[in-house]
Amino acid sequence: MADKRDYYEVLGVNKGSSESEIKKAYHKLAMKYHPDRNPGDKEAEEKFKEVNEAYEVLSDPDKKDKYDRFGFAGVDPSFGAGQGGFGGFGGFGNFGGGGFGGMGFDDIFDMFGGMGGARSSRRRGGPQKGRDLQKTVTIDFTDALFGCSKQIEISKNVKCKTCGGSGCKPGTGKKTCDQCGGSGQISQVSNTPFGRFQNVTTCPKCGGTGQMIETPCSDCGGSGVNRKTVKIKVDIPAGVDTDSIVTVRGQGEPGINGGPDGDLYIVINVRPHSNYKRRGDDLYLDLPITFDVAALGGKVQVPGLGETYSYTITPGTQTGSSFRLRGKGAPNVRTGRKGDLYVKVVVEVPSKLSRKEKKAIEEMAKQLGSDAYPKKQRFEKLKF
């Protein structure tokens, strides 16, 4: 465990980053290393586990506080055991013949951090937000530019309709836990070299809720939820691109103990277009033109987003020349402002010619002569 990376480094955020910044960084990396996107890639699988471990700590205020104050030892009691960790630090393991040998990190933390009532334990049985869900949705290139609505199916836990999520059989209720007396916590007193200290832990019988179900619901078995495949309508805004995330609030799994439902994160995957390429909010298009238009100039029609643009080609235009149509690109998903459309000209040379057409080109070549091709003349004079 000595080679574990700092959790902030894993997520690529600073120590003072906000909750939303940490969450955004996590979703980006979780999407990048997700096993579904990297089948058989062991390195990506390890990265995915590392990212989830870091987020589990930094997204929890209590764990994050411990990590900020004590590092890995604050969230993993086994970290550094026998190597300077609390298990063997300064002989604490055998201090005074009783000492800390049988105490977990939380016990030690409560003893030092909780002196004089300075630290209060958070009740785990309180309201908790439901689990967030993630699903990848593939859409067409044009749907990404114009926006669309999609109906998706996802398997998730939903609140039991029979008991309304309480877990109790209709007509019955809950009773006070007889082990913790409804507090959801169990207090234990530890004798230490510094005196007697109180350690508060979550009640194992009720899980911290302080209540017990008398008669479980027959449909959900007392869990308050059922596993269902549900259909959800998702409105995808104009301008999304591959790896964009659309958040559907409240469509995750049910909250716990009256907490809010989780969210559903839709990860967008855009099918490539046969002609258009996209970089950010700009679009790129190769436009084939005929030899006569390239040589003499003329108007061409450029296919755009739902409309056609007219552009005048200057005489003598070469293959590879490009022009820009401002504000004709993809809309920005946040501002709505459109990027630009970059058009590269490709002079198309006829590949199938009749005898008459061949003769006409030969006559044209005689009329033009070598002076019509200055680049070719310069190239022929090159010496290596």
Side-chain angles (χ1 to χ4, degrees):
M1 296 182 67
D3 59 350
K4 283 173 71 72
R5 289 202 297 155
D6 175 70
Y7 288 147
Y8 290 101
E9 178 186 344
V10 170
L11 296 183
V13 296
N14 297 321
K15 192 171 182 178
S17 297
S18 65
E19 181 180 347
S20 61
E21 289 173 330
I22 291 173
K23 191 172 187 178
K24 183 178 180 181
Y26 163 70
H27 283 296
K28 181 178 179 181
L29 292 173
M31 179 174 57
K32 179 179 180 181
Y33 296 118
H34 198 283
D36 290 347
R37 291 195 164 199
N38 304 274
D41 189 334
K42 294 296 183 183
E43 183 178 353
E45 182 179 342
E46 292 303 316
K47 292 280 189 183
F48 184 72
K49 291 179 181 178
E50 184 182 40
V51 167
N52 277 278
E53 179 183 332
Y55 182 67
E56 181 183 358
V57 171
L58 299 185
S59 63
D60 185 304
D62 189 40
K63 292 180 180 179
K64 182 175 180 293
D65 177 64
K66 288 183 179 181
Y67 179 71
D68 287 345
R69 297 173 66 183
F70 299 100
F72 292 116
V75 292
D76 187 350
S78 66
F79 186 84
Q83 300 181 19
F86 277 113
F89 182 84
F92 277 9
N94 296 302
F95 192 101
F100 303 155
M103 299 175 65
F105 179 82
D106 282 339
D107 299 321
I108 297 172
F109 186 86
D110 284 336
M111 186 181 71
F112 287 104
M115 289 181 179
R119 178 178 180 270
S120 61
S121 299
R122 185 178 66 169
R123 178 171 172 174
R124 297 181 183 177
Q128 298 177 38
K129 182 182 178 182
R131 189 164 70 96
D132 293 336
L133 301 177
Q134 177 179 308
K135 183 176 179 64
T136 298
V137 174
T138 299
I139 62 176
D140 291 333
F141 190 88
T142 51
D143 285 340
L145 298 183
F146 291 105
C148 63
S149 292
K150 294 288 182 181
Q151 189 174 68
I152 66 168
E153 289 189 354
I154 189 168
S155 180
K156 66 172 186 174
N157 288 333
V158 298
K159 188 179 293 185
C160 177
K161 292 183 178 179
T162 301
C163 66
S166 68
C168 303
K169 179 181 179 180
T172 67
K174 296 181 179 181
K175 63 180 180 179
T176 301
C177 175
D178 56 11
Q179 185 167 343
C180 66
S183 68
Q185 299 173 328
I186 300 295
S187 297
Q188 295 177 326
V189 177
S190 300
N191 292 316
T192 76
F194 301 98
R196 294 168 61 86
F197 294 92
Q198 185 176 8
N199 181 40
V200 180
T201 59
T202 301
C203 175
K205 189 170 185 178
C206 66
T209 64
Q211 294 181 313
M212 301 289 293
I213 295 175
E214 290 186 292
T215 307
C217 170
S218 58
D219 284 351
C220 65
S223 67
V225 296
N226 292 312
R227 196 73 178 174
K228 299 284 186 180
T229 297
V230 299
K231 294 182 178 180
I232 300 172
K233 181 184 177 183
V234 179
D235 292 323
I236 299 174
V240 295
D241 201 356
T242 292
D243 291 342
S244 292
I245 296 178
V246 177
T247 304
V248 186
R249 300 293 181 191
Q251 287 294 349
E253 295 196 334
I256 301 171
N257 299 326
D261 292 347
D263 299 324
L264 171 62
Y265 294 95
I266 303 296
V267 182
I268 302 297
N269 180 54
V270 181
R271 296 187 184 95
H273 195 275
S274 57
N275 298 110
Y276 285 96
K277 305 297 180 185
R278 180 176 177 179
R279 297 174 196 163
D281 297 332
D282 295 327
L283 297 179
Y284 294 81
L285 175 70
D286 288 351
L287 178 69
I289 65 172
T290 59
F291 173 80
D292 57 303
V293 171
L296 304 176
K299 286 189 177 182
V300 293
Q301 300 300 309
V302 182
L305 302 178
E307 55 184 318
T308 301
Y309 314 115
S310 181
Y311 186 83
T312 301
I313 298 292
T314 58
T317 294
Q318 306 293 314
T319 287
S321 299
S322 62
F323 57 90
R324 176 172 63 174
L325 298 177
R326 295 182 182 273
K328 304 301 182 184
N332 184 282
V333 71
R334 291 181 294 275
T335 66
R337 182 180 301 173
K338 291 185 177 181
D340 300 328
L341 172 59
Y342 291 86
V343 182
K344 184 174 74 173
V345 172
V346 179
V347 179
E348 185 174 5
V349 178
S351 57
K352 295 181 179 181
L353 298 170
S354 65
R355 289 184 179 181
K356 185 178 179 180
E357 291 167 339
K358 288 180 181 179
K359 187 175 180 179
I361 292 176
E362 289 170 353
E363 289 296 327
M364 181 192 70
K366 291 177 182 179
Q367 293 294 324
L368 289 175
S370 60
D371 291 340
Y373 302 98
K375 291 182 181 179
K376 183 175 181 295
Q377 283 185 317
R378 289 196 298 269
F379 184 83
E380 291 173 344
K381 292 178 181 180
L382 287 176
K383 292 184 180 180
F384 296 95

